[in-house]
Amino acid sequence: MADEVKLLGNFASSFSHRVELALKLKGIQYEYIEEYLSNKSSLLLTSNPVHKKIPVLIHNGKPIAESLVILEYIEETWENNPILPKDPHDRAIARFWAKFVDEKIVNFARKLMIAKEKVEIDGITKEISEHLKILENELKGKEFFGGDSIGYLDIVVYFIVYWFQLRQEVMQIEFITKEKFPDLCNYMERLYEIDVVKESLPPKDKYIAYVRAVFESVKNGSK
């Protein structure tokens, strides 16, 4: 009997896209279910009763929440096309950097979304730039964070940096540029040339419209 795989996600969520890319890299057939966070479905609420957030992977009726947990579940369940290194030390290092991305870079990204004053925005972008430079140093001399092919950490990093690139376009600020981050920007271009990565991205126009709406809402002080 074939596996039944469902993904509860949202087109604007970089965390959803992480899971989509992992599923596509593994060649796993799945049903995608779009969730509207202002009107959460009963399936989402029962599948993730603790956080009530996407993404949620439902495999043969059993739900798994939190994107990094889901990525590891996918890796352990479907062994073809591995996304984590075989060596235990290398696996631990990949997990370390994934945690760094979510704890340092993503947390500041959330602050950037709601920042209004220029001095606040400048301070947050400075912090983000410092963390991105640390991350970029880990990329030195490599095609991908995973080595010669796309892997776990690439899945985690790509959508966050892409998220920043689109937001800086809307906010008319520049902090991820080739002058500041040559290796990271070249790396992003390499990843974008991979078909399965492009297939996992949200429609750019729709995403920018969403970002612009959020940005205008924060700027105008509405909720």
Side-chain angles (χ1 to χ4, degrees):
M1 188 174 104
D3 287 327
E4 180 186 65
V5 181
K6 297 180 181 180
L7 172 61
L8 311 184
N10 179 272
F11 88 95
S13 168
S14 58
F15 304 106
S16 287
H17 296 300
R18 286 177 179 178
V19 179
E20 285 198 78
L21 179 53
L23 291 170
K24 289 178 186 296
L25 286 168
K26 293 277 189 178
I28 301 164
Q29 297 296 313
Y30 65 97
E31 177 188 355
Y32 175 80
I33 301 172
E34 180 77 6
E35 286 287 342
Y36 300 94
L37 302 186
S38 59
N39 185 25
K40 297 175 183 179
S41 72
S42 59
L43 180 59
L44 173 59
L45 297 177
T46 56
S47 299
N48 188 5
V50 175
H51 298 300
K52 302 177 175 64
K53 296 190 302 184
I54 52 91
V56 176
L57 185 77
I58 305 175
H59 179 212
N60 293 334
K62 297 178 180 178
I64 306 98
E66 299 295 317
S67 65
L68 295 184
V69 176
I70 295 170
L71 292 183
E72 296 217 26
Y73 177 84
I74 290 171
E75 174 74 341
E76 292 170 1
T77 304
W78 294 278
E79 296 181 356
N80 61 302
N81 302 330
I83 58 175
L84 272 165
K86 289 183 179 179
D87 181 78
H89 179 265
D90 292 341
R91 291 169 79 95
I93 294 300
R95 292 184 180 111
F96 169 85
W97 284 110
K99 190 175 181 183
F100 174 86
V101 170
D102 278 4
E103 289 187 352
K104 299 294 185 180
I105 298 174
V106 172
N107 280 340
F108 277 100
R110 291 187 176 119
K111 294 179 182 178
L112 186 62
M113 278 187 69
I114 59 174
K116 297 180 183 180
E117 303 298 328
K118 184 178 184 302
V119 64
E120 185 183 9
I121 292 171
D122 289 347
I124 293 170
T125 54
K126 182 175 182 293
E127 289 279 358
I128 292 170
S129 293
E130 289 173 359
H131 293 315
L132 285 172
K133 183 55 69 175
I134 292 170
L135 184 67
E136 185 181 54
N137 288 337
E138 181 65 15
L139 188 60
K140 296 288 185 186
K142 303 175 186 174
E143 282 288 301
F144 304 101
F145 284 104
D148 296 328
S149 60
I150 185 171
Y152 174 81
L153 186 54
D154 302 291
I155 294 169
V156 171
V157 169
Y158 183 78
F159 294 107
I160 298 302
V161 178
Y162 181 77
W163 183 91
F164 276 126
Q165 289 176 326
L166 293 190
R167 271 165 170 70
Q168 70 182 9
E169 183 177 329
V170 171
M171 298 173 73
Q172 297 182 335
I173 57 175
E174 288 191 351
F175 63 96
I176 300 181
T177 64
K178 280 201 172 182
E179 290 72 28
K180 292 181 180 178
F181 300 100
D183 293 327
L184 192 59
C185 288
N186 289 334
Y187 160 80
M188 291 294 290
E189 290 174 3
R190 284 196 298 275
L191 274 175
Y192 187 72
E193 291 304 312
I194 299 173
D195 288 341
V196 71
V197 174
K198 285 190 282 189
E199 291 168 6
S200 302
L201 290 173
K204 185 176 179 180
D205 291 345
K206 182 180 179 182
Y207 191 71
I208 285 181
Y210 165 81
V211 173
R212 185 168 286 116
V214 171
F215 180 60
E216 290 298 323
S217 174
V218 170
K219 190 169 68 171
N220 296 329
S222 58
K223 295 183 179 179

